[in-house]
Amino acid sequence: DAGVTQSPTHLIKTRGQQVTLRCSPKSGHDTVSWYQQALGQGPQFIFQYYEEEERQRGNFPDRFSGHQFPNYSSELNVNALLLGDSALYLCASSGGLGQPQHFGDGTRLSIL
Amino acid sequence: EDKVVQSPLSLVVHEGDTVTLNCSYEVTNFRSLLWYKQEKKAPTFLFMLTSSGIEKKSGRLSSILDKKELFSILNITATQTGDSAVYLCAVEMIQGAQKLVFGQGTRLTINP
């Protein structure tokens, strides 16, 4: 039973570019959340998707956008990259309210 | 502003010692408190606590929640080098979605 899978594992971009990160939730999970984790910090909530709609959004600018597909997989898009966007981007999935979120290994994004 | 604070931020002990990690929170609309272990990449789920005073146990790890005093502790007995990791505490909110607010984490190092 595959857990949460994310791709790519590492990515290097330059300022101003755009990036797309991908996530496949654990089997049986329909809710996907995205988090940003800076070095030495706890993860910060970006947004959550359920039934292909953004259900809640954290304190992140509109440069961060997402999508959920009918198979529950999800993408995180970041436009006009800044140096401060360098971080580990984690995807988490769950089977619904009252169930714990399970995390993927993340995508390490480096902005030069 | 919703806040989760962990202490200590860093802890170094010898193999076989017992450790207690602390997590206090100030949030609106509390639903549950979760503990995760993060080694290199994905935070791994340990416990989900919703009720005060009920200890959850898994092997040498245990955790308890105090909803009156707004804190939780994670205990690890007979520590092993494999317990070395960052331990993250997160609070789940009732806000229509499963937003997790994380603490900064406690970096635990077990020396042989």
Side-chain angles (χ1 to χ4, degrees):
Chain A
D1 177 24
V4 180
T5 57
Q6 293 187 240
S7 64
T9 52
H10 290 91
L11 207 46
I12 299 174
K13 292 285 187 179
T14 57
R15 281 180 298 174
Q17 285 190 308
Q18 176 264 341
V19 69
T20 297
L21 311 182
R22 295 177 175 81
C23 172
S24 291
K26 190 174 177 178
S27 178
H29 287 185
D30 58 5
T31 303
V32 173
S33 301
W34 287 91
Y35 293 83
Q36 181 195 66
Q37 187 175 24
L39 209 58
Q41 303 295 317
Q44 299 280 317
F45 177 77
I46 303 175
F47 40 53
Q48 183 178 88
Y49 278 85
Y50 173 71
E51 292 189 342
E52 302 178 52
E53 298 221 344
E54 184 182 290
R55 188 152 76 174
Q56 189 179 3
R57 187 179 186 89
N59 190 23
F60 280 81
D62 291 344
R63 298 187 297 110
F64 290 77
S65 63
H67 190 77
Q68 185 179 34
F69 299 94
N71 67 353
Y72 308 122
S73 67
S74 178
E75 288 182 349
L76 165 65
N77 299 293
V78 187
N79 294 323
L81 288 166
L82 304 173
L83 293 178
D85 295 332
S86 295
L88 179 67
Y89 288 85
L90 294 164
C91 171
S93 71
S94 77
L97 297 176
Q99 296 191 29
Q101 294 182 42
H102 293 265
F103 286 82
D105 280 345
T107 294
R108 173 72 61 188
L109 176 63
S110 299
I111 312 301
L112 303 180
Chain B
E1 185 186 336
D2 299 317
K3 193 164 62 171
V4 177
V5 177
Q6 293 186 242
S7 64
L9 293 181
S10 180
L11 186 58
V12 180
V13 300
H14 290 292
E15 205 168 18
D17 288 351
T18 293
V19 298
T20 298
L21 309 184
N22 303 294
C23 175
S24 64
Y25 60 93
E26 290 178 36
V27 302
T28 52
N29 303 314
F30 173 94
R31 184 198 303 275
S32 63
L33 186 143
L34 297 91
W35 285 97
Y36 289 87
K37 175 183 181 181
Q38 187 174 29
E39 295 179 80
K40 299 263 191 232
K41 297 180 180 177
T44 306
F45 171 72
L46 296 175
F47 298 111
M48 181 182 222
L49 303 155
T50 56
S51 301
S52 268
I54 299 175
E55 185 183 52
K56 293 224 171 175
K57 203 167 166 61
S58 176
R60 296 176 294 101
L61 278 67
S62 64
S63 184
I64 198 161
L65 173 67
D66 186 329
K67 288 168 76 173
K68 184 179 175 188
E69 300 297 330
L70 308 182
F71 78 90
S72 173
I73 60 172
L74 176 68
N75 280 319
I76 309 175
T77 59
T79 52
Q80 302 170 357
T81 55
D83 295 327
S84 295
V86 173
Y87 289 83
L88 294 165
C89 171
V91 170
E92 185 187 22
M93 327 281 281
I94 306 174
Q95 280 179 311
Q98 288 182 287
K99 172 183 173 180
L100 293 179
V101 177
F102 281 86
Q104 195 173 351
T106 293
R107 179 170 295 280
L108 176 63
T109 303
I110 311 295
N111 288 327

